[in-house]
Amino acid sequence: MKTLSIAFKDMWRAFRSLFALAFMFGVPILMTLIFAFLFGGLGSSGEESEFVLPVTDVVIVNQDEGSQTVPDFSDGNSSFASLGDLFVATLQTDSFTDLMNISLNDERAARLAVDNQEAGMAIIIPPSFTNVLIGQSSQHAEILFYKDPTLTMGPQVIQSVVMRIIDGFSSSSLSIDTIFSVLDENGMELNQQQQIELFQEINENMSSDQEGGRGIITILPPETENGEQDQTNPLQFILRNIMAGMMIFFTFFTGTSAAETILQEEEDGTLARLFTTPTNSSTILNGKFLAGFMMIIVQVVLLLIFANLVFGIDWGPVAPLIFVSIGLVTLATNFGIFVISLVVNTKQSGIVFGAVLNFTGMLGMSSVFVIGTPVEESFKYLPLLVPQGWAMSAIRASWNGNTTQAVLFTMGMLVISILLFFVGNARFKKRFG
Amino acid sequence: MKFLDIAIKDLYQIFKDWKPAIFLLIAPIGFTLMFGFMFGGFKGPNDGDDERRYPVKLVDQNQTMLTETILSFLDRSEIIYVESVEGQTNLDELKQEVANEEVAAAIILPAGFTQTLQEQAKVNLNIILDKNTLAGMTVQQEIESNFQRVQTAANTARLAEQLFEESEGWRNDEERVLFFNNVFAEALDAWQTPSVIAVNRQTTPEGYEEASSENAFAQSLPGMMAQFAIAGLIGASEIIVQERKSGSLDRLRSTAVDKFSILSGHWLAMFVMIFIQFFILVIFGQLFLRLNFFGAPLATLAISIASCAFVASLGLLIGILAKVPEQTIVFSLIPMFIFSGLGGAWVPLELVGETVQRVSRFSPVSWIMKGFKDILLRGADLPQVIVPVLILLGFSVLFFLPAAVIFYKKRT
């Protein structure tokens, strides 16, 4: 019972401290709120979950002089004097309005608009655009993308879309060149009628491809282990990762802060006073350890429930979540015991808070910051160098429905916990025994 | 000149303990490197390095010369890194791998893919990816773009095959298939030198200095400089609280030192502390991160001074508002998170919604970011950063005034 009394006393003190409350609940919730606000515009508000890129203002400069050989290009009911005009008309269709706001201007004005950050990008179509695409020029044409370098994603995606359209235009001349080259290698030559038929067929193929009449590319959504399709809203996806990362980051602060009270009580002289009572040192230390454990239970439970109720975060199946949470609580408590057992006084523990916890915490949750980037795979294992990384991997496996992985990571957390506890406990017992 | 004595005393108190260096220098450098390398470091995303490309699994259920040609064609991509898998056909496992983010996507070339391509010139395949993620969207664009080229190559090969058949005919089916495969490979190769190529340029307006090349640290270093400048206030603000709680302030005010000297002395100490931090981090960025701060030294100096003035005023307000030393931590961390988060220190503001972009203008960190990013990425010089400088000075006044009013009114 004495162990419990000591634990409850420490908990009472902690929950009355503004500082402790801020770190346990305030900062994780504040961070998640900020991200919710930041990415509120990214996810759609309803059940639909399309990733929406910001619309970029694009100025197009069409310098295409067309071709004297082919004076007219038709697309459905419309006809255009050059492929440059056709290209501009294609970009101005409704298909691209959610990606870019298009305006037309001369080169000087377009560059100036980008320079003054009134537009994110200028696309400059060269004079030889049509001639090159219809094979009347052996030179390459260069389409210039003049960008605001402070923007990255929007212009990058637009360039990719634009180049796909141009690929479609290029495919005719590329096909013709390849066919002529192959036939020439085989000693064949096409008469005029055959050439006309070939051009017609290539153009038909091109139209058919653009209308999706040729190949079939089927996009399948990923699926979780329990058979549910992953239909997480992008905003929820971000918030869940941020909230989990922050929760893990700050549970380790709580664990260390709880263990630090041993040093604080030693410096204040209250620990020495406790040792003079008929309570043995093991009971006192166990009470201290238990306080940290219980505080982190409260912290984890409240944050999980709060995140679910307020942000609507779905933590996945309950059973693995409980198992992972137990692992997290145990690990964070014992990590605190371990690191504080290594320092001599509260001044040194400041270094633990400032450096050790910050760096291990950030490394542990680094996988959150690389989500959706090409280096995501590399950061899958790097965080496992620190205990926080094991906790992050376990909780992600849990909500992904990958129970096997969640259990394995949690077992790893428990093994690390036992090791940390043995070292930390032994050092404390030796010190105060 | 008494304010100078107070400032020197504060600085001595701050720097006699080495721990502030963690927040002032080590943490921003550490996080700058971490964020910078995560998002490409010195390199752009399209440098062809496997580490910078999205991993994509290709399940080939055909194992033919034609699918090998496609694999080597996809391998030229600067966006995706394709790993071919033989024999794995379990769709659920693949979906799970994509769900677990082990790969960005999985391309399945189903049995009969080669035959359909050779006989009907049709690309028929399945892709598993999450269209709701940035990675999924980028990879989808790239895969579709590549298979559009594959489709063109198949069309070309089919037409050539027909022409040859009409003219010469085939001795056997093997000869036909071989011909198709060769033309197909040649047509795919032709995409290495397309007739229209993209040329990328970035803004270098008249009067601007030469701009830096693409560098992910241009986002991460200014962001972390701003964030940890505010974090660094924890220790500095605490001095003001301790001074008040220990009775030193009472003693000081009983001397001939006027209130303004005390206030400006504390402000100056914080300004100098943050300025030293900025100075070291700018040098670090210039020397080790290839960030061209010195391309526009006056602009860099102006933004640094204005930023430090804002942070110092915020620190002064925190020190005056906090009743106990512990409160300085909370009072520093809350604006740090809010200003940094909304100011684009963590996530480039171009990726957030329009409302947030408008709100971000009320965060001083967004102006620090704008000033430094314009210098580093757009080659801006002093005239181009004058607006951020003035706004930051405005924020400085905005925080200094209430601090002064409270300080003058407050009884110790």
Side-chain angles (χ1 to χ4, degrees), chain A residues 7-303:
Chain A
F8 280 124
K9 185 268 294 174
D10 273 13
M11 277 183 74
W12 177 242
R13 279 187 67 173
F15 286 119
R16 286 173 61 198
S17 158
L18 174 71
F19 174 74
L21 289 175
F23 271 84
M24 286 172 78
F25 306 107
V27 177
I29 290 170
L30 178 68
M31 287 280 282
T32 314
L33 266 173
I34 292 171
F35 272 91
F37 184 63
L38 279 177
F39 290 100
L42 269 183
S44 54
S45 53
E47 292 300 310
E48 292 278 318
S49 52
E50 287 290 313
F51 188 95
V52 181
L53 269 177
V55 178
T56 306
D57 291 314
V58 177
V59 188
I60 299 181
V61 181
N62 184 9
Q63 298 175 336
D64 188 6
E65 290 168 351
S67 166
Q68 288 180 339
T69 318
V70 187
D72 183 56
F73 296 88
S74 61
D75 178 36
N77 297 327
S78 313
S79 110
F80 301 94
S82 69
L83 282 174
D85 289 342
L86 175 59
F87 168 68
V88 173
T90 308
L91 287 180
Q92 284 175 322
T93 57
D94 290 343
S95 317
F96 303 106
T97 47
D98 55 349
L99 197 60
M100 52 187 131
N101 280 329
I102 289 178
S103 58
L104 293 166
N105 219 323
D106 61 62
E107 184 172 354
R108 194 172 170 278
R111 282 176 180 268
L112 200 64
V114 179
D115 293 345
N116 294 335
Q117 295 187 305
E118 289 156 8
M121 182 188 227
I123 301 173
I124 300 166
I125 304 166
S128 61
F129 190 68
T130 301
N131 272 328
V132 167
L133 285 174
I134 62 169
Q136 293 294 309
S137 169
S138 56
Q139 300 290 312
H140 292 291
E142 289 183 345
I143 183 159
L144 180 68
F145 294 92
Y146 187 66
K147 302 171 190 172
D148 174 357
T150 60
L151 305 177
T152 51
M153 196 54 62
Q156 198 178 322
V157 173
I158 289 169
Q159 182 169 340
S160 171
V161 168
V162 164
M163 289 315 291
R164 269 187 72 182
I165 296 169
I166 291 175
D167 266 6
F169 289 170
S170 306
S171 60
S172 300
S173 60
L174 189 134
S175 288
I176 288 162
D177 289 348
T178 307
I179 289 170
F180 282 174
S181 156
V182 168
L183 295 181
D184 191 47
E185 281 167 21
N186 286 280
M188 276 179 64
E189 206 169 306
L190 299 181
N191 59 39
Q192 202 175 3
Q193 181 58 32
Q194 282 175 314
Q195 284 187 20
I196 292 168
E197 282 170 11
L198 179 65
F199 283 127
Q200 281 173 345
E201 190 143 6
I202 284 171
N203 283 332
E204 277 171 23
N205 280 343
M206 203 177 93
S207 307
S208 174
D209 292 345
Q210 280 171 354
E211 288 159 16
R214 280 268 165 180
I216 303 161
I217 298 180
T218 312
I219 309 277
L220 304 169
E223 202 163 330
T224 57
E225 196 179 60
N226 56 12
E228 289 171 8
Q229 280 187 5
D230 187 7
Q231 291 178 332
T232 314
N233 182 290
L235 177 61
Q236 290 300 313
F237 179 80
I238 291 167
L239 293 187
R240 188 165 62 178
N241 276 285
I242 293 295
M243 191 70 197
M246 288 291 114
M247 182 176 73
I248 291 165
F249 191 86
F250 286 103
T251 50
F252 279 75
F253 266 89
T254 308
T256 312
S257 175
E260 194 198 20
T261 61
I262 299 171
L263 301 181
Q264 189 63 56
E265 290 223 40
E266 188 189 18
E267 285 170 20
D268 293 347
T270 49
L271 195 64
R273 223 175 297 163
L274 263 177
F275 287 147
T276 62
T277 65
T279 310
N280 65 39
S281 58
S282 292
T283 308
I284 296 165
L285 289 175
N286 290 341
K288 291 278 179 194
F289 299 160
L290 185 63
F293 188 78
M294 293 199 302
M295 277 157 62
I296 300 172
I297 289 177
V298 174
Q299 184 182 10
V300 169
V301 171
L302 286 182
L303 285 177

Side-chain angles (χ1 to χ4, degrees), chain B residues 95-380:
Chain B
K95 285 183 172 184
Q96 188 66 48
E97 282 183 41
V98 178
N100 292 346
E101 296 146 23
E102 288 164 26
V103 288
I107 303 170
I108 304 162
L109 303 182
F113 173 87
T114 302
Q115 207 178 354
T116 315
L117 201 66
Q118 282 169 341
E119 290 175 2
Q120 301 166 41
K122 276 189 180 178
V123 172
N124 198 348
L125 62 114
N126 300 320
I127 307 169
I128 303 168
L129 54 80
D130 189 349
K131 288 199 278 188
N132 297 321
T133 64
L134 196 57
M137 202 169 66
T138 311
V139 168
Q140 185 187 349
Q141 284 278 350
E142 180 65 7
I143 294 174
E144 286 183 349
S145 174
N146 275 295
F147 276 96
Q148 183 179 309
R149 292 180 169 191
V150 169
Q151 176 70 70
T152 305
N155 292 344
T156 307
R158 180 117 178 97
L159 284 171
E161 183 194 289
Q162 282 169 358
L163 287 167
F164 197 84
E165 190 174 1
E166 284 164 17
S167 167
E168 311 285 325
W170 304 108
R171 279 197 292 270
N172 52 45
D173 200 48
E174 278 170 18
E175 190 188 32
R176 185 188 64 80
V177 169
L178 189 66
F179 181 86
F180 181 96
N181 288 350
N182 287 340
V183 180
F184 178 79
E186 202 167 315
L188 274 187
D189 263 349
W191 279 112
Q192 279 192 299
T193 50
S195 46
V196 179
I197 54 172
V199 176
N200 287 294
R201 292 280 182 271
Q202 62 184 41
T203 53
T204 48
E206 286 173 12
Y208 278 25
E209 299 294 323
E210 189 181 349
S212 309
S213 56
E214 194 169 346
N215 187 334
F217 297 113
Q219 159 72 28
S220 65
L221 184 61
M224 292 304 112
M225 279 165 73
Q227 174 168 332
F228 285 97
I230 302 174
L233 292 175
I234 292 171
S237 306
E238 199 180 317
I239 291 172
I240 302 174
V241 180
Q242 293 286 15
E243 187 179 74
R244 196 170 56 239
K245 281 183 73 74
S246 66
S248 305
L249 184 62
D250 279 339
R251 235 171 294 159
L252 200 61
R253 284 169 64 170
S254 68
T255 65
V257 181
D258 61 297
K259 283 182 174 180
F260 187 76
S261 294
I262 299 170
L263 204 61
S264 51
H266 287 313
W267 185 91
L268 184 63
M270 283 190 251
F271 178 89
V272 172
M273 178 190 79
I274 305 297
F275 190 79
I276 291 171
Q277 179 200 22
F278 268 50
F279 181 75
I280 295 172
L281 291 174
V282 162
I283 299 278
F284 172 78
Q286 180 75 34
L287 294 181
F288 299 106
L289 304 181
R290 301 181 204 162
L291 295 171
N292 194 12
F293 286 104
F294 294 164
L298 285 178
T300 301
L301 184 68
I303 285 285
S304 299
I305 288 173
S307 305
C308 295
F310 141 68
V311 178
S313 297
L314 178 67
L316 196 66
L317 184 61
I318 291 168
I320 287 166
L321 285 177
K323 287 178 181 156
V324 288
E326 275 185 353
Q327 281 185 350
T328 60
I329 299 174
V330 180
F331 288 177
S332 300
L333 288 183
I334 289 173
M336 180 190 90
F337 285 123
I338 293 176
F339 288 154
S340 304
L342 295 182
W346 306 333
V347 179
L349 288 173
E350 57 161 320
L351 295 180
V352 301
E354 272 183 40
T355 313
V356 183
Q357 286 187 17
R358 274 195 288 271
V359 172
S360 74
R361 290 174 195 160
F362 295 96
S363 163
V365 170
S366 76
W367 295 100
I368 298 177
M369 296 292 294
K370 179 169 169 47
F372 278 126
K373 281 173 85 173
D374 279 354
I375 293 167
L376 297 171
L377 294 170
R378 307 179 73 238

